[in-house]
Each structure stands twice: as structure tokens, then as C-alpha cells.
Amino acid sequence: MKHSIGHIIEMSWSYATEWIEAVHMFEYRLLHNLPEDKLFDDKVFRDDIDFHCYLISCRRLERAITIACDVWHKGGDKQKLGKTLKQFKNKPPFLTSLRNVGE
């Protein structure tokens, strides 16, 4: 079954929105003390797990945008999306390596 370009872009948009929320959630968890920290003796254990989840969320966000960019019709919007994706990839150039080490 072949999906239409519109369907692929819509699904990518949906996934990207979900992973943006996940990135924000794990960023919040990494930067703040939470009540459950008392259950784990200290925040370090939870931070380790949340950091891995943060990396996975960033990587999945990148993939969702890459899929949309790959099928997008040529034009100014595709160029803007590609430029933004390149900036995202260059900010943490080690994202894939860190994710792979964790896996």
C-alpha cells in the first residue's frame, strides 16, 4: 500500500507534535525535582533514565521531520523545513551516537 504525500506529511506532523511534547516533558523532568525522587534515593537514577528518554524523543522528532521533508514538494517551505532540520541536527551533533550507546 502506497500512502499519498499528503497522508505522509499529516502523519509526520502528528508524530512531530507528539515528540515535541515528549522533549518538553523530559526536559522538565531533568531540570526539576519531583516527588518520586524520594523513592529512588536520589535524583541521579531518575535523571539517567529521563535523559535516555529525552534522547530517544529528540531522535524520533528528527525522524518525523525528516520523513516529511523527504516527501515535501519542492519550494520555499521545503527549503525552510530542510534548513530548520539541518540546524536541529547541528545543535547536538552527537545525538545519534548518544542514543546508540544507550541502546
Side-chain angles (χ1 to χ4, degrees):
M1 172 181 214
K2 185 171 173 139
H3 296 283
S4 71
I5 291 171
H7 178 75
I8 293 169
I9 290 172
E10 281 294 320
M11 292 306 298
S12 296
W13 178 276
S14 177
Y15 291 139
T17 302
E18 185 176 311
W19 293 114
I20 287 169
E21 292 298 321
V23 167
H24 286 300
M25 181 182 71
F26 288 112
E27 178 187 34
Y28 176 85
R29 290 178 58 85
L30 286 164
L31 296 176
H32 295 88
N33 293 320
L34 300 175
E36 59 265 26
D37 292 337
K38 295 173 189 168
L39 298 172
F40 300 111
D41 295 328
D42 61 34
K43 189 173 180 286
V44 174
F45 177 74
R46 184 181 57 80
D47 277 350
D48 186 47
I49 301 221
D50 284 344
F51 182 66
H52 289 290
C53 292
Y54 177 81
L55 292 174
I56 290 167
S57 298
C58 287
R59 183 71 172 136
R60 288 187 179 171
L61 172 59
E62 178 187 326
R63 284 182 182 163
I65 295 169
T66 299
I67 289 169
C69 195
D70 287 347
V71 299
W72 202 285
H73 295 296
K74 297 191 185 303
D77 289 337
K78 180 180 178 106
Q79 290 175 342
K80 288 178 190 174
L81 186 60
K83 183 179 177 182
T84 303
L85 181 60
K86 186 176 180 179
Q87 288 174 333
F88 181 82
K89 287 180 176 184
N90 288 336
K91 287 287 183 182
F94 48 84
L95 178 61
T96 301
S97 296
L98 281 174
R99 195 254 355 248
N100 290 346
V101 168
E103 290 180 354

